[in-house]
Amino acid sequence: MSVLDDIVAGVREDLAERESRTPLPRLRELASLRPEPRDPMPAFRAPGLSVIAEVKRSSPSKGHLAEIADPAALATSYAQGGAAAISVLTEQRRFNGSLADLRAVRAAVDTPLLRKDFVVTEYQLVEAREAGADLVLLIVAALPGDELDRLHAIAVELGLTTLVEVHDEAETERAVALGAELVGVNARNLKTLQVDPDTFGRLAPGLPEQVVKVAESGITGTADAARHAAEGADVVLVGEALVKGGDPATAVKEMRSA
Ligand SMILES: O=C(O)c1ccccc1NCC(=O)[C@H](O)[C@H](O)COP(=O)(O)O
C-alpha cells in the first residue's frame, strides 16, 4: 500500500464516523446557510508572487513540526504578512489537523482559505463549504477515472475554487484535460516522500499560459521562492518553513517580494 493509499484509507474511516453523525442532506442544508465563498483568483493573478501560507502541525515525512496551539493566531500573522490564501491541513491522523482548525481560522481572518485534505468524496467538499473554506485541494493521484471530473464539478457547484494537484506528466495532462484554472505542482513524491526541487520547472511548461501555477512543497525560503517565480510560478504554497520559523508575517512578506 502506498503512503497515499494508507492516508486515504484512514480518511475514509474517519469520514464514515462523521457522516453517521451528520448525514449528507443535513450537511448540505447547513452549508447552504453559509456566506458565498471568496474568489482567490484575482489575488493569485495579480502581478508578483503570491503566497499560500499553510497551518501544518505534523507530516508523514517529518513527523511533528510545530505545536500551533492557536491556529487563528498563526493565520492572523500570515494575513498580516500579505498571504493571498491560507491553507489549513484538516487531515487528523498524519497531519494532526482538524475541521475545528479551519473554523477557528475562518473566524479570525478574511483571507481566502484552502481546505487541505485528501478529498475523495462529495461529503468532504460539503464539509469544506460548511466550515468556511473557499478552496479545496483535489489530488489527481487520489482520484482515478471519472472521480476527478465528478468532484471538480461538485466543488464548482458549491462555489469552491479547486487547486488541482499534480506530481508528474500524466497527472498534468489530466489536469489540463479537466480545464483546471489553478494547478499545484507538488514536488513531494507521494511514494517516497522525497522532495525533488526540479519538479515544478519540469512540469510547468506543460500547463497552458492562462493556468495559475502553484509551486508546492520543500520551499525553505526566499531563494526557493525566487527560483520557482523565475520558472513561471504565480504562487508558492509553503508549510514547514513558515511554521518552524520565528516570524511568519515577515517570512510571508519576504517570499512575496522574492
Ligand atoms: O508533507 C508531507 O509529508 C506530505 C506527505 C504526504 C502527502 C502530502 C504531504 N504534504 C502535503 C503538502 O502538500 C504540503 O503540506 C505542502 O505542499 C507544504 O509543504 P512544505 O512547505 O514542504 O511543508
Side-chain angles (χ1 to χ4, degrees):
M1 200 186 243
S2 72
V3 178
L4 181 63
D5 292 341
D6 189 41
I7 294 172
V8 168
V11 163
R12 285 189 187 278
E13 279 180 26
D14 293 345
L15 254 174
E17 202 268 319
R18 295 202 298 278
E19 200 161 354
S20 71
R21 271 189 280 124
T22 310
L24 181 59
R26 175 64 185 144
L27 190 65
R28 273 206 170 259
E29 277 174 20
L30 295 172
S32 71
L33 303 175
R34 301 288 305 203
E36 282 301 306
R38 295 153 185 76
D39 181 2
M41 296 302 277
F44 292 158
R45 289 203 165 102
L49 187 66
S50 296
V51 176
I52 302 178
E54 188 154 279
V55 176
K56 182 177 186 182
R57 287 196 186 88
S58 304
S59 74
S61 57
K62 301 281 178 77
H64 176 78
L65 295 172
E67 199 55 37
I68 318 186
D70 187 350
L74 178 59
T76 302
S77 299
Y78 288 161
Q80 284 165 351
I86 295 169
S87 166
V88 182
L89 271 156
T90 56
E91 197 277 339
Q92 295 171 11
R93 297 185 185 207
R94 309 295 287 271
F95 293 86
N96 199 13
S98 68
L99 281 168
D101 286 347
L102 184 60
R103 288 179 207 284
V105 171
R106 175 72 298 153
V109 299
D110 275 335
T111 310
L113 298 188
L114 167 68
R115 179 186 186 182
K116 193 91 172 333
D117 210 315
F118 297 81
V119 170
V120 286
T121 67
E122 171 180 358
Y123 193 86
Q124 292 161 288
L125 295 172
V126 183
E127 272 185 331
R129 174 82 170 79
E130 195 281 325
D134 309 290
L135 302 95
V136 285
L137 182 72
L138 295 179
I139 302 173
V140 173
L143 298 168
D146 293 341
E147 280 305 280
L148 177 64
D149 296 68
R150 191 178 76 80
L151 293 184
H152 181 261
I154 294 168
V156 170
E157 173 247 317
L158 288 165
L160 297 165
T161 298
T162 60
L163 171 58
V164 178
E165 181 179 287
V166 302
H167 298 83
D168 61 25
E169 284 78 2
E171 291 175 15
T172 304
E173 283 174 23
R174 285 187 67 201
V176 172
L178 178 73
E181 291 178 18
L182 179 65
V183 174
V185 175
N186 199 327
R188 185 171 283 109
N189 181 314
L190 288 181
K191 294 187 184 85
T192 64
L193 298 187
Q194 295 300 308
V195 168
D196 176 357
D198 296 336
T199 311
F200 183 85
R202 198 178 77 242
L203 299 185
L207 293 167
E209 172 75 26
Q210 71 276 11
V211 167
V212 172
K213 302 169 189 71
V214 186
E216 299 178 24
S217 293
I219 296 160
T220 59
T222 50
D224 292 336
R227 172 190 169 170
H228 290 313
E231 291 169 339
D234 304 292
V235 185
V236 287
L237 193 158
V238 188
E240 181 178 346
L242 295 177
V243 300
K244 288 178 87 172
D247 183 351
T250 302
V252 169
K253 203 170 169 189
E254 287 175 356
M255 282 188 196
R256 286 173 52 221
S257 56

